[in-house]
Amino acid sequence: MSKQAMPKKYKFILFIVGLIALIAFQVKIVMPLVYDVIASDLFLKEDDPEAVEASADGRMLGYAFDQCNLYIADEVDSHISVSYASKPVNAWDIGNTQYVINADIDLLPENGANVTARYVCRIKYTGDEFEPTALSDKDNWSVNGLSGLDDYL
């Protein structure tokens, strides 16, 4: 008994029917489930009211900027003098006590010329209290990323 190959015409029709079935399955079954998950509270995280209040007046951005500068001071090579700007170029509150700071920094290596570099720091407040002493404590902050200073760290 020999196997006969399916004619090309039937292969093409089978492909089209399968494609239509796949699209119908996705539209009628998969996407409604996705929409239900999105509409649920599964991914919803309510911000702490104290954090919202501290962010609303800009306090948190200032503390985040200071903590990024302290992190850089700890990480920069010891033979480089560092001078920080008084305020960031840009600062964003990205929610859930996470911040992105963009600022300039002046670096003076012992045997080189003064260099002004721009860095981006992503930082998160991990503390529970929103009092000035807790906000100033570097143990309550976590730097999740720093770029722009790779040659100096």
Side-chain angles (χ1 to χ4, degrees):
M1 185 169 184
S2 67
K3 290 186 176 181
Q4 285 187 332
M6 187 183 294
K8 284 187 177 183
K9 178 173 121 178
Y10 294 125
K11 285 182 181 180
F12 182 72
I13 292 172
L14 184 61
F15 173 74
I16 295 298
V17 169
L19 185 62
I20 291 171
L22 180 63
I23 291 171
F25 176 74
Q26 181 175 349
V27 168
K28 297 293 184 185
I29 302 208
V30 174
M31 291 311 293
L33 290 173
V34 170
Y35 291 139
D36 287 344
V37 170
I38 290 171
S40 74
D41 291 340
L42 182 63
F43 297 108
L44 182 64
K45 180 177 185 316
E46 302 245 351
D47 285 337
D48 183 354
E50 288 184 67
V52 171
E53 181 182 329
S55 289
D57 66 9
R59 252 187 327 156
M60 294 299 286
L61 291 172
Y63 283 108
F65 174 62
D66 293 341
Q67 293 301 322
C68 283
N69 287 340
L70 288 173
Y71 178 80
I72 291 168
D74 289 344
E75 296 295 318
V76 75
D77 288 339
S78 60
H79 66 278
I80 297 175
S81 298
V82 181
S83 175
Y84 302 97
S86 60
K87 62 181 185 170
V89 174
N90 289 306
W92 298 275
D93 179 348
I94 58 175
N96 197 24
T97 64
Q98 296 183 69
Y99 308 92
V100 175
I101 306 298
N102 179 268
D104 290 330
I105 186 171
D106 290 324
L107 303 160
L108 180 61
E110 286 178 349
N111 56 357
N114 188 24
V115 175
T116 299
R118 183 163 288 177
Y119 70 86
V120 176
C121 174
R122 182 170 177 181
I123 190 165
K124 177 174 178 47
Y125 182 68
T126 57
D128 294 331
E129 297 180 21
F130 293 90
E131 301 300 321
T133 54
L135 292 169
S136 298
D137 185 359
K138 73 177 189 174
D139 293 333
N140 288 334
W141 292 88
S142 172
V143 174
N144 299 329
L146 180 67
S147 64
L149 301 176
D150 297 335
D151 294 339
Y152 306 101
L153 300 179

